[in-house]
Amino acid sequence: MGKEKNIRKKTYRIGVIPGDGTGPEVVAEGLKVLAAASQAVGFKYETREYDFGGERYLKTGEILPDSALPELKKVDAIYLGAVGHPGVKPGILEKGILLRLRFELDQYINLRPVKLYPGVWTPLADKGPEDIDFVVVRENTEGLYVGTGGFFKKGTKDEVAVQEMINTRKGVERCIRYAFELTRKRNKEKKLTLCAKTNVLTYAHDLWQRTFDEVSGEYPEVNADYAHVDATCMWMVKNPEWFDVIVTCNMFGDIITDLGAMIQGGMGIAAGGNINPQGTSMFEPIGGSAPKYTGKNVVCPLAAISAVQMMLEHLGEEKGADLVEKAIVKALTSGKIKDLSARSGISTTEIGDLVAKYIK
Ligand code: IPM
Ligand code: MN
């Protein structure tokens, strides 16, 4: 009891980056739900907002001020909406904000649950919530994302473009270890699938395979499995029930989690966590800034609300996380949300209100 009270005294510091497009709209609903959970459970938190994004960049030329990084390294968690602005060349904000934060805060895991909730439509015929429930552990600081490479004879007929894929033993091993630990703790069949392309990437994914095999020796209770990335896509559609936890490199993880998002009901519901188990983690809806729908109060905020749930779980607020998840399910099965698209007829704020109400 006494101990519990002490823990309760902690005030979490949460850095909030609403970002571009519909980011601020969905973040507002997530914060509404966070407030409701805090009231219900009794944890305390304070937020500090950062205006990084396309608007700030267009006005000031500044993408992510260096001075913000030490500050963000000290908060308990970061809550991010979306980055990407139609007025800014693709890559500038993505690299300068999202990827920079992932790299500099060493958030080496991108955790992306693929879970179909009851009441949500999936494009997979004959599959239901009991079939679609797995987690993708995406390596988040290396691979094809490091941005090394270059041009040679750019703009000429002889142009060469090189983009290097970096895999370090340390980076691969910590990611694989995280995935084994997660699989061991998960209440499913304790199966971990390495998703790679060992038949073509005979150096990079040889390192992944060897590391996977070695670490797997320490986890006899986990069934260590392998699937090539192309086959993984096939099974995700045909037999998603075969998966429990998937571990994969940065680029493959990016690609298969968009497929994952679609089978769990779309970008309106898919959330992810950029995790540094020893540092500051960042939680976000995995969809983009949806400029087409900006300011219209129509996009589904459930992905951003799920990100709040993941953040609470990460902070050790299990009870709050559980309340949020149950409220999401209650909203989804209430009959009030026809679908999770921007054309569902129910507004962003109405969905946020509904989930917050079910928490109370
Ligand atoms: C994601 C996004 C990012 C990625 C982009 C915006 C850089 O697609 O979070 O999946 O590729 O990681
Ligand atoms: Mn992506």
Side-chain angles (χ1 to χ4, degrees), residues 94 98-99 102 110 112 138 145 254 257-258 284 286:
E94 292 84 347
L98 185 61
L99 299 183
R102 287 176 182 170
N110 197 325
R112 297 190 160 178
R138 165 185 175 189
Y145 275 70
D254 176 46
T257 55
D258 263 31
E284 54 170 338
I286 81 172

Side-chain angles (χ1 to χ4, degrees), residues 60 63-64 73 106 199 207 211 232 251 262 278 327 333 347:
T60 68
I63 304 174
L64 181 72
K73 280 182 185 160
D106 204 19
N199 53 348
L207 174 61
T211 309
T232 302
M251 181 59 90
M262 287 306 118
Q278 289 86 35
T333 50
S347 69

Side-chain angles (χ1 to χ4, degrees), residues 95 103 143-151 161-167:
K95 271 192 169 173
F103 289 2
L144 278 166
Y145 275 70
V146 295
T148 53
F151 296 112
V162 177
Q163 191 96 35
E164 287 150 343
M165 182 192 200
I166 306 286
N167 299 264

